[in-house]
Amino acid sequence: MIELTKTMTTARPKSNQASVGAVQCENTTLNLLKVNDFVAKAIRDRLPDVLVINVCSSPGSGKTTLMQETGKRLRGRLNMAVLVGDPETERDAIRMRDVGINALQIVTGGMCHIEAQMIYQALDHIDLTGVDLLFIENVGNLVCPAAFDLGEDFRVTLLASTEGDDKPKKYPRMFLTSELMVVSKADLLPYVPFKVENVIQDARDVNPDIEVLTISSTTGEGLDAWCNWLLAKVEQKKGVVA
């Protein structure tokens, strides 16, 4: 528990975990994401007892469906809310609300990622009274969102079996800055050229500490393990506060 507490209380900005996003000026590093990191810290200060999970992936990996299934399975066990990011439309937030999940859409207006200031402003428009777990469903993109700390406690990256198993080394910063990789659409593994062992090896070459779960939101495979992971992290967050 001591190690877990240390992890929660000494979180450093995601943008500091790789050189991308910084400009070298002779011997001086100018961090272009410094303002974003300042706002991310303000978000953490504002939500001391809410677990914040930043969910990232390519488009179509199953983020929204996973959020829906998570809400159904955890109903009555904890209170959950979702901030949904998309370049256009409110379709994903509507899907959340259709199954009883408290959700607010953040329309980025074409931007390929969410920034911390968008989250900070959105907090004024969503009721988080009694909420234990806040998901940020990021814009579908494995590049830009990796650079922006959103004040999350953990970053989770979904990688669908239909995408191919070569993504961790093609988009290393996303996996470097994630605590958990979720291999989604596991029910399709018999039909696609995707090797789970290969993607795990590549992900851990990039980030030796990354955890891995394999799930299917269609069949329910792995969802109990996913929900148990979330429940443990909620308990951990509240334990740190206490």
Side-chain angles (χ1 to χ4, degrees), residues 201-213:
Q201 182 61 59
D202 280 0
R204 287 184 172 155
D205 285 346
V206 171
N207 178 1
D209 297 322
I210 198 167
E211 298 180 71
V212 181
L213 290 174

Side-chain angles (χ1 to χ4, degrees), residues 187-207:
D187 52 302
L188 299 180
L189 283 170
Y191 312 105
V192 294
F194 186 104
K195 301 295 184 185
V196 175
E197 59 271 22
N198 291 353
V199 81
I200 292 174
Q201 182 61 59
D202 280 0
R204 287 184 172 155
D205 285 346
V206 171
N207 178 1

Side-chain angles (χ1 to χ4, degrees), residues 86-99:
D86 268 316
E88 302 291 346
T89 84
E90 287 197 41
R91 290 182 178 180
D92 287 350
I94 292 169
R95 287 177 59 188
M96 301 288 185
R97 293 193 286 265
D98 283 346
V99 295

Side-chain angles (χ1 to χ4, degrees), residues 1-225:
M1 188 62 180
I2 294 175
E3 291 183 358
L4 292 174
T5 301
K6 181 177 180 182
T7 300
M8 295 291 291
T9 56
T10 60
R12 61 187 178 128
K14 300 284 184 183
S15 60
N16 288 347
Q17 293 182 241
S19 59
V20 178
V23 174
Q24 296 293 332
C25 303
E26 297 179 350
N27 294 323
T28 302
T29 298
L30 175 63
N31 191 339
L32 299 179
L33 300 173
K34 187 173 182 179
V35 173
N36 184 87
D37 292 342
F38 178 83
V39 179
K41 181 182 183 302
I43 292 169
R44 291 188 175 94
D45 292 342
R46 188 168 172 178
L47 301 174
D49 57 353
V50 178
L51 182 72
V52 182
I53 304 289
N54 181 6
V55 183
C56 300
S57 77
S58 300
S61 67
K63 294 190 300 297
T64 303
T65 302
L66 178 59
M67 298 297 96
Q68 289 178 300
E69 293 303 312
T70 302
K72 293 175 186 177
R73 287 171 177 261
L74 292 180
R75 188 172 295 134
R77 303 177 71 181
L78 55 75
N79 293 321
M80 167 182 152
V82 184
L83 294 174
V84 187
D86 268 316
E88 302 291 346
T89 84
E90 287 197 41
R91 290 182 178 180
D92 287 350
I94 292 169
R95 287 177 59 188
M96 301 288 185
R97 293 193 286 265
D98 283 346
V99 295
I101 297 172
N102 178 18
L104 178 69
Q105 186 79 41
I106 299 173
V107 178
T108 67
M111 287 181 63
C112 60
H113 60 276
I114 298 175
E115 297 180 7
Q117 56 88 11
M118 299 177 187
I119 299 299
Y120 194 84
Q121 293 178 53
L123 294 179
D124 291 330
H125 301 280
I126 186 169
D127 184 5
L128 296 182
T129 304
V131 168
D132 306 296
L133 170 61
L134 174 64
F135 281 112
I136 300 169
E137 183 183 329
N138 218 314
V139 177
N141 185 344
L142 287 177
V143 182
C144 303
F148 291 86
D149 185 347
L150 302 183
E152 69 263 29
D153 296 300
F154 297 97
R155 180 175 291 172
V156 174
T157 294
L158 267 66
L159 180 60
S161 62
T162 50
E163 295 179 66
D165 55 21
D166 59 350
K167 298 302 179 288
K169 289 190 175 178
K170 292 181 72 172
Y171 305 96
R173 189 173 186 183
M174 181 60 79
F175 296 88
L176 174 66
T177 59
S178 296
E179 284 79 21
L180 175 66
M181 176 177 70
V182 175
V183 178
S184 62
K185 303 187 180 182
D187 52 302
L188 299 180
L189 283 170
Y191 312 105
V192 294
F194 186 104
K195 301 295 184 185
V196 175
E197 59 271 22
N198 291 353
V199 81
I200 292 174
Q201 182 61 59
D202 280 0
R204 287 184 172 155
D205 285 346
V206 171
N207 178 1
D209 297 322
I210 198 167
E211 298 180 71
V212 181
L213 290 174
T214 301
I215 68 158
S216 168
S217 296
T218 301
T219 67
E221 177 185 345
L223 292 187
D224 285 343

